[in-house]
Amino acid sequence: MRAIVFSSTGDSSVLRLAEREVPEPGDGQVRVRVMRSGVNPTDWKRRSAGDPGFAEVTPNMDGAGVVDAVGPGVLSLHAGDRVWVMLAAHSGPFGTAAEYSIVPAAHAFPLPEGIAYDVGAALGVPAITAHRALTVAEGGPARLSPFAMAGRTVLVAGGAGAVGHAAIQLARWAGATVITTVSSPGKAALATAAGAHHVVDYRHGDAAREIRAAAPDGVDVVVEVSPAGNAELNRAVVANHATIAIYANNGGDTAAFDIRPHMMLNTRVQFLILYTLGEPALQAAAEDVGAALRDGALPVGEEHGLPLHHFPLERTADAHDAVERGVVGKVLITP
């Protein structure tokens, strides 16, 4: 098989195309013939620093394809099943930037007929992260389904990003009122296409005033990508018992919060990352994302608010660079 591999961390030049034997699935694993590999910021960050953990690693956490073989003990999946996968490169050397990937069966989920591989490969890290951010608030909901967030207002920071896009779609599917912030008219159009009820360009006008106009009682959940830059805005717009769910550190590694205003509102600040989230929460999120997928609530493409950028396998380095530069939309690789 053809696979992208690297043996030491660094910039995208460490990635190389290689011919490798097709790996065999072990206990509890499946082999997936990868039709699309999704690239996330976590993929280039893991490639750029730290210990790869193995003598040779294939990058990329997310993807979609067809189960090609199942290992001992796997009863939930069978050869020929269409699946979307998450966290493929987290605990092993076989990420999705290859013609075949080895994935824990617990991290491969049904991709219904009629749902494109592009959609499946765009789920994974963004959708599971968005689900977690939407389900950590005091009083719930702990799971998402139609009407689960009825009566709640969600503020999504950066609604044109991959996680922001998934958060808008999932919150809208769950019945919430969705407000999002963006930095340009083009991104505003994407966030609107994703389903946001109110879109605020924070670079023009008074963002706090506009958000308060849409949510006079304040927002209940903030899906936050830039806690340092948005600390003052969040303080101005959160409701009593609001939750600020932080999943990234865009704009700075250190954030300062005004303690007393948040104390008076019983604000909860919740950090999250998938790698240490725990299997029960991952599985619950994947089940709910699967339900939203079957309901047609998670489409991709520019007309749905998430432009797609396709690269062939041999240009995986260019795909990583595009994500690192902050390209708007979803980067996908076709092995």
Side-chain angles (χ1 to χ4, degrees):
M1 71 171 185
R2 298 188 311 148
I4 298 295
V5 298
F6 66 98
S7 299
S8 60
T9 54
D11 64 24
S12 63
S13 66
V14 303
L15 300 173
R16 65 187 188 277
L17 181 65
E19 292 281 344
R20 293 292 181 265
E21 293 296 320
V22 176
E24 293 296 327
D27 288 351
Q29 296 178 329
V30 297
R31 185 171 68 211
V32 176
R33 179 162 58 92
V34 181
M35 306 304 291
R36 296 289 187 278
S37 174
V39 187
N40 300 293
T42 191
D43 296 316
W44 71 257
K45 291 176 182 178
R46 287 170 67 89
R47 181 218 69 222
S48 65
D51 181 0
F54 299 89
E56 185 177 86
V57 175
T58 292
N60 295 4
M61 297 290 172
D62 297 341
V66 180
V67 173
D68 177 70
V70 300
V74 176
L75 302 177
S76 57
L77 294 167
H78 304 86
D81 288 349
R82 302 173 80 246
V83 293
W84 61 275
V85 304
M86 68 172 180
L87 300 180
H90 173 47
S91 57
F94 300 112
T96 62
E99 292 179 329
Y100 293 89
S101 179
I102 299 295
V103 183
H107 291 173
F109 308 97
L111 183 66
E113 290 293 337
I115 301 295
Y117 292 117
D118 286 356
V119 176
L123 299 173
V125 169
I128 303 301
T129 297
H131 181 282
R132 178 64 174 175
L134 293 170
T135 56
V136 293
E138 182 179 357
R143 299 288 298 266
L144 296 184
S145 61
F147 309 111
M149 300 191 75
R152 300 226 169 190
T153 301
V154 173
L155 172 63
V156 178
V163 174
H165 175 264
I168 291 170
Q169 290 184 323
L170 286 171
R172 180 76 184 246
W173 174 68
T177 297
V178 183
I179 306 169
T180 189
T181 55
V182 296
S183 59
S184 70
K187 291 181 178 181
L190 293 175
T192 299
H197 295 93
H198 307 280
V199 180
V200 175
D201 186 337
Y202 64 83
R203 289 186 174 175
H204 301 88
D206 187 331
R209 183 185 297 275
E210 291 185 47
I211 293 168
R212 278 289 182 177
D217 296 326
V219 299
D220 301 298
V221 177
V222 181
V223 180
E224 186 55 81
V225 65
S226 181
N230 292 334
E232 183 176 347
L233 175 62
N234 290 336
R235 177 195 58 77
V237 301
V238 292
N240 191 33
H241 291 281
T243 294
I244 303 171
I246 297 170
Y247 69 89
N249 60 346
N250 293 8
D253 291 332
T254 303
F257 300 93
D258 290 334
I259 293 173
R260 188 165 182 80
H262 285 297
M263 183 184 295
M264 297 303 293
L265 290 172
N266 292 276
T267 307
R268 173 182 294 188
V269 178
Q270 171 79 53
F271 294 90
L272 64 104
I273 191 167
L274 301 190
Y275 303 129
T276 54
L277 186 56
E279 203 60 30
L282 289 174
Q283 292 298 316
E287 289 176 11
D288 294 351
V289 168
L293 189 63
R294 291 190 297 273
D295 282 350
L298 299 173
V300 300
E302 187 164 5
E303 68 276 22
H304 301 296
L306 191 71
L308 301 179
H309 308 277
H310 289 91
F311 291 80
L313 185 64
E314 59 269 21
R315 291 186 59 203
T316 294
D318 293 335
H320 273 222
D321 288 343
V323 175
E324 187 170 359
R325 289 194 304 267
V327 66
V328 177
K330 186 67 185 180
V331 171
L332 300 173
I333 294 168
T334 302

